[in-house]
Amino acid sequence: MGSRMSNKTLLYTAEQIAARVGQLGSDIKADYEKILDPEEQLLAVGVLNGAFIFMADLLRAVGGLPVEVDFVRLSSYQDRDSSSAEVVMTKNLEKEIKGRHVLVIEDIADCGLTLAWLLEFLKKRRPASLKVAVAVDKRARRETVVGLDYVGFKLEDGFLVGYGLDYAERYRNLADIYQMETGGH
Ligand code: 5GP
Ligand code: MG
């Protein structure tokens, strides 16, 4: 692939991702078939931009489970001196989530602060249930307890790109997930 690819190492192939996402889809289908009333639809809330490919794949893997989608977009600025993040919601929900069964779909849990903030935000709106699916759970830098119900891959640390994940808005459309040498991780 040439020098432009040389700072990235293949971590999860498209085939591995498809197999894992297929399993998660089956789990989600089985779990929500027990919970949803006949006329109810699951409300999947995707976190833009990183989750867009994972969400598209995951929701096609839940069989015929009835699903509605909504999206938020978050920007977080980690405060290095405290275990908090300043999170700014740059795109809000468009649907009412009160009384709904909500599944948040996020790309990565790293420090966990972005997800913790979002779950707090959503809980205040009183959904009937609230669960989380992440493509990758990176554990080494976790700073807060955040419940992850459906996890694609578990990893200690590393900066990942591909499958929706970017480095400076590049590489989101790569089909595989790569670990990148950034110096920062
Ligand atoms: P945290 O859990 O630290 O609050 O932040 C999670 C967010 O940081 C994720 O939603 C994701 O956008 C971004 N992030 C964390 N780790 C990585 C990574 O390895 N690669 C990319 N591209 N983004 C990451
Ligand atoms: Mg994100």
Side-chain angles (χ1 to χ4, degrees), residues 58-95:
L58 189 63
L59 294 187
R60 283 178 293 182
V62 296
L65 192 78
V67 178
E68 217 175 301
V69 300
D70 201 353
F71 299 90
V72 294
R73 185 162 183 189
L74 304 174
S75 292
S76 45
Y77 307 92
Q78 232 76 4
D79 181 347
R80 299 259 166 233
D81 302 327
S82 69
S83 59
S84 66
E86 182 169 338
V87 178
V88 178
M89 179 173 269
T90 57
K91 188 217 167 299
N92 203 337
L93 290 169
E94 293 178 19
K95 302 201 163 141

